[in-house]
Amino acid sequence: MRLTSSLATAGIALGLVGALATGATASAPAPSADAKASTSPAGATAMPTTGKVMHFGYDGAGNTYQSPTLDLSDPKAKDPANYLPKKLVDSARAAEAAKTGKTAAAQPNGTAALLCTLYVGGLRDWNLGDLQGTTNQDCSGSFRVQHTNGQFAWNNGGWARITGSIVGPSTTGQHNDTIFMVWCNHPAGYGRKSYRLEARGYATASDGTPVNGYLQYGGSSTWTCL
């Protein structure tokens, strides 16, 4: 079945889902009830220039923070310093600089902050019959591991999720780009619909504290299946 954009008039039904990650080289994909996840070479995806972004973090002292979901059209949206406590942002950046050798020493293990930024763009067609969306997550500071989860939704008189949560691969690295896919595999009949990818970001701080950013969504696109 061929996937087309908003000019088509047939319908879609959505079936098997999956995740494909780039830059997640540190560990095997996490299990999911809905899909298998796999990795591809780093650099296969690029940061979106349109869509949504959200920042979340941990100050190393038991407190977590997150920004609102922000639109990438806002010039201020990409900088977490505009939305999270300055001390947290400065601590996470200093710890990351120390890890990369740009400064002499980091704060003691477990006391530095953790900072993550999660980008979600719009959807695109893939393999002539599927929808594909990407999450890009950058984490810095004092953390053990990070990953993202994705979930597809459509607007059928109101936004509703059409897949369960798809667990993306984990990495100990700073960058984690994950491609989430949903296959179109039923006859036409549902009419033209708008779809979007929803996402959560997850990280584990170096002291074992789980930190996550709340569900957000990327830009919506209108698709049909033929």
Side-chain angles (χ1 to χ4, degrees), residues 59-205:
D59 64 2
N63 302 304
T64 59
Y65 301 86
Q66 83 161 57
S67 75
T69 297
L70 307 163
D71 197 289
L72 283 170
S73 63
D74 183 348
K76 300 186 299 182
K78 291 183 179 181
D79 188 353
N82 293 323
Y83 306 95
L84 301 185
K86 183 178 185 302
K87 184 176 180 181
L88 184 157
V89 175
D90 289 347
S91 175
R93 287 174 171 171
E96 192 62 35
K99 287 192 292 184
T100 58
K102 294 179 180 179
T103 60
Q107 299 182 41
N109 186 42
T111 64
L114 155 67
L115 172 65
C116 294
T117 296
L118 173 62
Y119 297 85
V120 182
L123 301 182
R124 57 195 176 275
D125 64 330
W126 175 73
N127 199 28
L128 301 181
D130 314 317
L131 286 178
Q132 187 180 89
T134 302
T135 61
N136 306 86
Q137 182 163 279
D138 282 356
C139 292
S140 58
S142 184
F143 70 96
R144 297 178 184 175
V145 67
Q146 57 133 320
H147 77 279
T148 59
N149 284 12
Q151 200 162 23
F152 286 91
W154 72 349
N155 191 341
N156 188 27
W159 285 102
R161 295 168 192 157
I162 54 174
T163 70
S165 183
I166 311 165
V167 181
S170 298
T171 180
T172 58
Q174 184 178 8
H175 309 292
N176 191 351
D177 303 326
T178 302
I179 301 171
F180 294 92
M181 296 168 288
V182 62
W183 279 263
C184 177
N185 65 348
H186 287 85
Y190 284 85
R192 194 174 66 198
K193 303 293 180 184
S194 294
Y195 297 86
R196 70 188 187 193
L197 176 64
E198 302 178 342
R200 281 182 183 266
Y202 295 87
T204 302

